[in-house]
Amino acid sequence: MRIITLIVAAASFGLLLSACTTTPESQAPAKVEERAAKPPSAVDTKPIASVDLTKGANPLKDPNNILSKRSIFYDYDKFDVRAEYRGLVEAHAKYLRDNPGMRMLIQGNADERGSREYNIGLGQRRSDGVKKMMTLLGVRDNQIESVSLGEEKPMDDGHSEAAWAKNRRSDILYSGEY
Amino acid sequence: MRFLLGVTFLLAAASAGAQLAIEITGAGAQRIPLAVLPFAGEGGLGGQGITAVARADLERSGLFRILEMPPLSPLPTEATPINYAEWRSRLADAVVFGSVASRPDGRFEVRFRLFDVVKQVPLGGIAYTLTREQARATAHRVADFIYEKLTGEKGVFSTRIAYVVKRGTRFELQIADADGVGAETALASFEPILSPAWSPDGRRLAYVSMEAKKPVVYVHSLLDGKRYVAANFRGSNSAPAWSPDGSKLAVTLSREGGSQIFLMNADGSSLRRITSSSAIDTEPRFSPDGRWLYFTSDRGGSPQVYRMPASGGEPQRITFDGSYNVTPRLSPDGKTLAYITRNGSKFQVAMLDLANRQGQVLTESDRDESPSFSPNGRMILHATVLNGRGVLSAVSADGRVKQRLSATAGDVREPAWGPFIE
């Protein structure tokens, strides 16, 4: 994300530069004097939009912010969001309401046992469940896409109960992260 | 293991890394004793020639016992008159004589004859013209001819299989000969690939790729590597299945919430939802006659196999024993259903006779997935896990013959046996 921010910053700087260089060319030479009589252009007096990478400015990435928590885990063969994750879901729902331009991808996952395709179905039931909670909390439907990766992207490659518990989950991703 | 005959053949792949090695771990109870004499002059072809490949094919089927013969000089050819009494005394039920000759145009000619020693009748023969590069393919054709004449069913040695190999973070969709040799990679990706399904003409594969961070169904033409998106709707797109005429695809989509089965033209047009439940409905498969659509659904509380008319209609439940029966696959004659059943914590390949509803578990492994019938219905190829690694296994429909295919490195999974190619 930091890299992305830097790229965005660099890109806008480039844009600014090209704007500066093209402006004089687009003006007729006869108007030069008139322009010189004006106070320094409005561009110079506008406050500069500051990008501060030293502060945890992005709440989605701030480890102290609940919005940086992106995974919801499930019991075996269960699809409902456990009470301990309610706060997390509510916080993300509020963030989407406050940032209507933001889009979210919820990837549901299942543990490795059983059919790969049926497990895509189980993961879908999990991600659909999270999406439904968020829409009930006032998020617009088109802000969220719920999908399933089935058993294909385990968080833990092991074959134990503990590994499976980490792999039954929904992961939340925002625009730019997928 | 009950059927292990004490003989384990390891046919190591000739060339580099991507190959699969086949191991025979069980054979039929009654195997036809067969003598395949070295084809006179086959050394000129180089490589393995014809007879080594054809013998390995026939041996691997579990239906033949290839007789070891002392070196004969001169070697008989297809033109040599046969002395049935002599071959009877060598305990052969059938014998094959053949030859390879080089032609002035640089190509080769393979000729052979098959004889039934018990009935003392010739069973015919064929002549093939081939290039050096077609030697393996020709050997498979020779084995197919012998197999069909002696068993009465078509051989599958010339068919191909598709499967997915995972090595580290890399996924490869590969195509190989049915003996695991000659693997070629159709698609390589850093995101999962699953559920390959052959078009009935064997020219295209439909599959699911997660390269877009979600499951999307693609159709991939094997000849030119061109592929198109068949289903990329909002949500998940998975479980492609071809209609028997190749014109339609059944897919599982979550675009309307949940996982439901839709039909569409193979180019992705004319989408139509055909299941409507609040359950997971997935893994659709057409019956070979195109009348039925078999699928997995947990509408009854646990995942079971159901079927419904392919044009839509009321589903009927097909599997009843146990609390987890998934991944329905119809035999080519439509009479038998192969599927995965859970026994305790084990997932195994099972078969159901659709006429008398008799079920049978075919394997003793514990993490079986993705059964796939050979096009002659004799074998069922499936994925399993052995010593922590994904391998492919094949078991005959009677449970007796068993083979295993494993890659030198990585996990092999998601097998799909291709159709007969004329």
Side-chain angles (χ1 to χ4, degrees), chain B residues 172 175 201 263:
Chain B
E172 289 189 15
I175 317 290
D201 65 6
L263 268 185

Side-chain angles (χ1 to χ4, degrees), chain B residues 48-69:
Chain B
Q48 285 184 283
I50 300 291
T51 45
V53 175
R55 279 180 186 158
D57 281 346
L58 293 161
E59 182 88 54
R60 200 177 59 248
S61 74
L63 301 183
F64 301 92
R65 189 158 49 85
I66 304 295
L67 300 176
E68 290 298 326
M69 286 294 139

Side-chain angles (χ1 to χ4, degrees), chain B residues 34 197 203 211 378 419:
Chain B
L34 172 68
R203 292 180 182 172
E211 64 204 65
R378 159 80 49 177

Side-chain angles (χ1 to χ4, degrees), chain A residues 42-163:
Chain A
V43 173
D44 297 327
T45 56
K46 262 191 181 166
I48 289 167
S50 148
V51 176
D52 186 351
L53 299 176
T54 67
K55 285 184 184 170
N58 184 351
L60 298 175
K61 296 291 174 187
D62 178 359
N64 297 317
N65 192 314
I66 192 169
L67 293 175
S68 70
K69 307 284 184 289
R70 305 296 190 83
S71 293
I72 296 158
F73 297 92
Y74 298 82
D75 293 331
Y76 172 64
D77 214 22
K78 290 286 187 292
F79 310 92
D80 54 307
V81 174
R82 296 202 302 251
E84 64 195 276
Y85 297 108
R86 268 208 80 88
L88 185 157
V89 173
E90 283 165 1
H92 283 286
K94 180 177 188 308
Y95 183 80
L96 283 179
R97 283 198 314 268
D98 294 348
N99 297 274
M102 268 295 195
R103 294 290 180 271
M104 174 187 283
L105 181 70
I106 308 173
Q107 296 172 328
N109 296 268
D111 71 40
E112 64 180 353
R113 289 171 289 177
S115 149
R116 291 177 186 276
E117 283 288 354
Y118 183 65
N119 284 340
I120 287 183
L122 295 180
Q124 187 69 40
R125 202 173 259 167
R126 293 191 170 120
S127 63
D128 281 350
V130 177
K131 175 176 174 173
K132 184 159 190 198
M133 266 184 85
M134 291 197 186
T135 51
L136 289 175
L137 290 165
V139 181
R140 282 183 297 117
D141 176 85
N142 68 1
Q143 279 182 280
I144 309 176
E145 181 175 10
S146 53
V147 302
S148 174
L149 305 182
E151 64 179 271
E152 308 303 324
K153 297 289 262 184
M155 184 178 276
D156 187 324
D157 283 325
H159 310 288
S160 62
E161 291 288 349

Side-chain angles (χ1 to χ4, degrees), chain B residues 149-162:
Chain B
K149 287 292 176 187
L150 296 179
T151 68
E153 69 189 24
K154 283 184 84 172
V156 293
F157 307 118
S158 299
T159 60
R160 298 203 289 173
I161 56 173

